[in-house]
Amino acid sequence: MSDKLKHIIKAQRITERVFEDLLKEIHAGRTEIEIRDRLLDLAKYHGASGHAFDPKVGAGRNAADPHVEPTDRKLRPGQLLLIDMGATYGGYCSDMTRMVAIGKPSSEARKAYGIVLRAQQAAIRAAKPGLTGKELDAVARDVIRRAGYGKRFIHALGHGIGRKLHQDPRLTPLRKTRLKPGDVVTVEPGIYVPGRFGVRVEDMLLITPRGNRNLTRTPKKLWIL
Ligand SMILES: [Mn+2]
């Protein structure tokens, strides 16, 4: 196994432990900033060399912006909370997004979560060498479009990741770079409904000679806390 892969996997396992610990501390009344600060402490505790980016923690309508910044607003029952996080280890990055619900979410938000998950699973089934970034992006985008949310998926499907958080190959409608074995890419479709909620689910895939291997182990159920 290459050093690149070893380090990305280690960074991702740290991220997963952080998320698992964090779940025990999320509840109504806590603020997004408090959760972000705990996340940073836990990453250090679990051995991260650093953070791949400022963690994105946003609840309810705040998550409708894909580049959400945590605020001092308190989590409220019924909100979906988006957590996008990544540790670094040995100079390499990890990147993962998971959703948590504070009590029972609205049926619209649950529906959107299901669509995003189906779009992501379709892209994961399809990812293999030779496919272009544009083609893989289209696999996920078509699922979301057919479900009626095409205009709400407002960013690229994913990006290469390694020493840099965002690098080639980019999975976007604009790029025709072909995937090749050894590439590590994120697959992160989303649905963002202004004023209401945002949903994104993100895993990292290693492109293998015949397909891909999912490097992310954290389950993708919608946690209801
Ligand atoms: Mn990402």
Side-chain angles (χ1 to χ4, degrees):
M1 196 189 283
S2 68
D3 274 359
K4 165 185 158 175
L5 193 53
K6 261 187 264 179
H7 288 138
I8 290 176
I9 290 172
K10 175 74 177 168
Q12 177 53 24
R13 295 297 165 260
I14 292 169
T15 298
E16 289 162 6
R17 275 176 226 130
V18 171
F19 182 76
E20 208 183 310
D21 284 358
L22 200 59
L23 279 181
K24 297 171 199 149
E25 303 187 16
I26 296 172
H27 52 79
R30 293 211 80 178
T31 71
E32 294 163 349
I33 286 175
E34 283 170 359
I35 292 165
R36 187 269 320 268
D37 290 348
R38 258 319 267 159
L39 192 163
L40 296 174
D41 285 347
L42 285 165
K44 212 171 286 175
Y45 172 78
H46 284 296
S49 353
H51 311 291
F53 54 96
D54 288 335
K56 296 167 191 155
V57 176
R61 68 176 64 176
N62 194 22
D65 171 5
H67 304 290
V68 48
E69 288 276 340
T71 69
D72 58 7
R73 284 197 286 269
K74 290 180 171 157
L75 303 182
R76 296 196 317 269
Q79 285 184 318
L80 283 191
L81 175 68
L82 181 150
I83 301 175
D84 184 358
M85 57 193 288
T88 58
Y89 188 84
Y92 287 87
C93 301
S94 62
D95 196 359
M96 173 173 88
T97 307
R98 287 292 184 271
M99 301 300 307
V100 167
I102 312 302
K104 199 180 168 199
S106 70
S107 60
E108 187 194 14
R110 267 180 295 148
K111 180 182 157 201
Y113 185 82
I115 296 164
V116 167
L117 209 53
R118 277 196 284 121
Q120 201 219 24
Q121 283 159 347
I124 292 170
R125 279 194 302 273
K128 62 177 185 188
L131 218 59
T132 66
K134 178 181 170 152
E135 286 164 342
L136 189 54
D137 179 281
V139 170
R141 204 165 293 278
D142 283 351
V143 173
I144 293 176
R145 189 182 293 133
R146 283 199 303 270
Y149 284 90
K151 289 207 172 84
R152 305 295 189 197
F153 179 19
I154 51 180
H155 55 69
L157 175 64
H159 50 89
I161 181 168
R163 284 195 173 276
K164 288 198 291 184
L165 175 66
H166 297 118
Q167 59 185 51
D168 287 336
R170 310 275 174 164
L171 310 181
T172 99
L174 306 171
R175 295 290 183 95
K176 294 183 182 170
T177 312
R178 287 181 195 283
L179 295 174
K180 58 181 195 312
D183 285 340
V184 178
V185 295
T186 69
V187 178
E188 49 180 306
I191 290 178
Y192 308 88
V193 181
R196 299 182 64 86
F197 61 83
V199 174
R200 179 164 70 250
V201 178
E202 176 179 25
D203 288 351
M204 287 191 304
L205 307 181
L206 167 69
I207 304 301
T208 59
R210 302 181 61 176
N212 72 81
R213 175 182 151 207
N214 196 333
L215 300 181
T216 305
R217 289 186 177 165
T218 301
K220 283 182 282 203
K221 63 179 196 151
L222 178 59
W223 274 271
I224 300 192
L225 302 178

